[in-house]
Amino acid sequence: MRLQDKVAVVTGAASGIGKEIATVYAREGARVVIADLNAEAATTAKELDPSGERAMGVAMDVTNEQQVDAGIQQVIDRWNRLDVLVSNAGIQIVAPVVEFEFAKWQKMLAIHLDGAFLTTRAALRQMYRQNSGSVIYMGSVHSKEASVLKAPYVTAKHGLLGLAKVVAKEGAAHGVRANVICPGFVRTPLVEKQIPEQSRELGISEEDVIKKVMLKETVDGEFTTVADVAETALFLAAFPTNALTGQSIVVSHGWCMN
């Protein structure tokens, strides 16, 4: 198994992409931490390992410094190491720039960027002590491209590329790698919510949102799947050297090819 006895923290892992990554990591032998805002963290951990020996749930608001530091410390207290951090927690709010509420802008950036920073900082303290680790950020095709109605999301996802590059350079001397996964549209609850929202904002049908907006630039008109993203996260977590660090991997059915 490719992650045998590694300890992995996945934020936003009670559902969607994060849950699938946690599931794949557990399958590959990792001890998995489900870090999530809601009470489902413990439930998801129990699903992965009913014995409770190789999975644990941690309640964590990634924008709260104290909760992040305390949650990571719980992991270290239990398993005395931390090998993989997947910074996956995120939300989506769509609106034109001219109408975007500042409070919603701040909320979006806090979850995506502050959350990535706080969890990274807490994880690196342990990774540096053990002289090894892999940090994986959940970016997006919107780390490289832009779409209407998504100003804070695009801004935040671009920002993760910069953070990953800095962590890759600073972490190299401590055996720590940092990379970004950039999925296309994955049909999670987050994307399902966007379909009617964009339909209203753009004045087109939900079917046209899917075909003419979300999947227009793909090579095959298909959504990226949670399995596609999880297998990429496994590849990055298990990669054996610093040869692959400071990089972004696009998983988008050809929507973005850079």
Side-chain angles (χ1 to χ4, degrees):
M1 288 190 264
R2 297 171 68 185
L3 297 178
Q4 187 64 46
D5 294 330
K6 300 291 187 182
V7 176
V9 173
V10 185
T11 69
S15 63
I17 291 172
K19 184 176 182 179
E20 184 68 15
I21 291 172
T23 301
V24 169
Y25 281 7
R27 181 195 76 198
E28 292 294 325
R31 298 183 176 99
V32 180
V33 180
I34 309 297
D36 208 289
L37 183 63
N38 59 44
E40 293 178 5
T43 302
T44 302
K46 191 130 184 103
E47 285 179 25
L48 291 181
D49 178 22
S51 75
E53 294 178 2
R54 302 187 66 82
M56 65 183 287
V58 173
M60 183 186 292
D61 175 350
V62 296
T63 69
N64 184 301
E65 182 178 11
Q66 289 72 35
Q67 283 193 29
V68 170
D69 288 347
I72 296 298
Q73 190 59 50
Q74 284 182 53
V75 177
I76 296 165
D77 289 345
R78 179 165 182 185
W79 284 315
N80 200 37
R81 64 181 301 110
L82 175 52
D83 301 288
V84 183
L85 168 68
V86 181
S87 177
N88 168 74
I91 64 168
Q92 179 63 280
I93 303 170
V94 298
V97 171
V98 71
E99 298 173 9
F100 220 104
E101 297 174 32
F102 185 44
K104 291 182 178 178
W105 168 276
Q106 290 177 306
K107 180 179 181 180
M108 287 282 295
L109 265 61
I111 292 171
H112 290 273
L113 287 180
D114 294 354
F117 163 71
L118 289 171
T119 53
T120 297
R121 187 182 65 177
L124 287 181
R125 290 166 177 159
Q126 174 60 31
M127 290 177 175
Y128 283 10
R129 282 193 291 268
Q130 66 194 39
N131 206 40
S132 65
S134 175
V135 179
I136 300 169
Y137 298 102
M138 193 54 61
S140 166
V141 165
H142 288 107
S143 296
K144 298 172 178 289
E145 303 284 352
S147 293
V148 297
L149 310 178
K150 296 183 177 182
Y153 187 82
V154 171
T155 300
K157 294 303 189 184
H158 273 67
L160 290 176
L161 297 180
L163 177 59
K165 290 175 182 179
V166 172
V167 174
K169 286 183 176 291
E170 292 185 359
H174 307 277
V176 175
R177 297 174 288 108
N179 294 287
V180 186
I181 301 173
C182 299
F185 282 103
V186 181
R187 202 148 189 179
T188 62
L190 191 70
V191 167
E192 292 288 356
K193 178 175 174 288
Q194 290 178 57
I195 295 171
E197 289 175 344
Q198 292 202 45
S199 175
R200 289 192 298 271
E201 291 284 354
L202 297 172
I204 60 178
S205 70
E206 292 187 13
E207 183 179 0
D208 280 346
V209 169
I210 294 171
K211 290 184 177 180
K212 298 181 179 180
V213 177
M214 292 183 169
L215 304 181
K216 178 183 177 183
E217 301 299 331
T218 64
V219 297
D220 54 9
E222 295 290 339
F223 281 100
T224 302
T225 68
V226 292
D228 295 330
V229 181
E231 290 299 327
T232 306
L234 172 62
F235 168 72
L236 289 173
F239 199 83
T241 74
N242 276 351
L244 182 55
T245 192
Q247 304 302 311
S248 54
I249 298 180
V250 182
V251 188
S252 69
H253 286 253
W255 169 15
C256 176
M257 295 188 179
N258 66 358

